[in-house]
Amino acid sequence: MFTIFLASIVGMSFAGWRSNNQANAEHAASVQTYTEYIVGGDFIEGVFENWESEFLQMWALVVLTVWLRQKGSSDSKPMRGRAPVDTLSRYSIINSTSWKKRFRALGHTIYAHSLGASLFVLFLISFSLHAVGGVAAFNEQNAQHNQSPMSARHYITTSHFWYESLQNWQSEFLAIGTLLVLSIKLRERGSPESKPIGTRYDRHTGD
């Protein structure tokens, strides 16, 4: 997956660089070097605009599946009973009699929610970098038309910023929702995202 990611982002950077320079040439603007392009607002916006929606989607999937269920879906916990991931912590802050045990219990509590927290932090970082890259690209276009620059704080209140974000969010949540629903009845032999061939569609594999 990371090999495909690296190949894709390198390909994206070169394609974006050439496309950006073609647009600059059409507007009689200066041509950017590859290094200037990848540290510029256009590339940063393009990358983190997509990352933001991906991390938000994964965070929502991880957190919502803690409580919510989809009967028959391979990504859902059983409709009844407890799953192995529902195990309780061995440590309790309330019942701890020493600070050492309390710190251990606190650390265990943080670790117990570290996956969701990490994905949400990555979403916030991507969201912020999308805003930073977006306002830089926006100001570059404004400069070409002799218009005044805009701050990042102002940029995130514009319809342009939210159009960029929501056009990605809607597709990501559609994709993950489609996976959850199609995995109820459809199968892919050998895939861990699919239930075994022959399993009843209306039951979870753990039921």
Side-chain angles (χ1 to χ4, degrees):
M1 288 297 176
F2 284 112
T3 300
I4 296 172
F5 158 71
L6 289 173
S8 298
I9 197 168
V10 170
M12 172 189 171
S13 68
F14 278 103
W17 174 48
R18 294 190 61 180
S19 175
N20 188 66
N21 280 337
Q22 287 173 1
N24 286 347
E26 292 173 0
H27 293 85
S30 59
V31 174
Q32 289 183 312
T33 66
Y34 177 73
T35 302
E36 289 174 336
Y37 174 72
I38 62 174
V39 298
D42 189 70
F43 180 71
I44 292 174
E45 176 193 23
V47 170
F48 290 102
E49 176 186 331
N50 286 281
W51 287 21
E52 137 194 339
S53 59
E54 296 290 348
F55 288 125
L56 177 64
Q57 171 206 186
M58 296 310 298
W59 170 78
L61 177 64
V62 168
V63 173
L64 293 179
T65 52
V66 174
W67 298 285
L68 304 182
R69 304 289 187 270
Q70 177 59 56
K71 187 173 183 179
S73 174
S74 59
D75 283 289
S76 171
K77 292 191 292 186
M79 298 296 292
R80 295 178 295 277
R82 299 178 66 85
V85 293
D86 293 326
T87 53
L88 297 175
S89 172
R90 295 175 297 170
Y91 308 103
S92 172
I93 297 177
I94 297 176
N95 297 327
S96 298
T97 56
S98 67
W99 283 107
K100 182 178 180 180
K101 290 183 178 180
R102 289 177 183 176
F103 278 120
R104 180 181 296 176
L106 179 60
H108 196 267
T109 299
I110 294 173
Y111 179 69
H113 299 282
S114 57
L115 178 58
S118 297
L119 289 170
F120 191 70
V121 168
L122 288 170
F123 159 71
L124 292 178
I125 292 172
S126 301
F127 184 88
S128 300
L129 289 174
H130 169 205
V132 170
V135 75
F138 192 79
N139 286 335
E140 288 173 6
Q141 294 179 1
N142 282 354
Q144 294 176 2
H145 296 87
N146 297 317
Q147 296 177 345
S148 58
M150 181 184 296
S151 67
R153 181 179 297 181
H154 185 197
Y155 180 68
I156 63 175
T157 65
T158 64
S159 57
H160 181 77
F161 174 80
W162 286 104
Y163 175 79
E164 292 174 340
S165 291
L166 294 173
Q167 71 171 331
N168 286 287
W169 293 14
Q170 55 88 17
S171 61
E172 297 299 338
F173 284 106
L174 174 63
I176 199 66
T178 301
L179 173 64
L180 291 171
V181 173
L182 291 183
S183 66
I184 296 173
K185 288 191 175 183
L186 305 184
R187 303 289 184 267
E188 183 60 48
R189 187 184 299 276
S191 173
E193 297 298 326
S194 168
K195 292 187 291 186
I197 305 296
T199 303
R200 283 180 52 181
Y201 76 89
D202 59 343
R203 295 181 65 86
H204 186 278
T205 53
D207 284 352

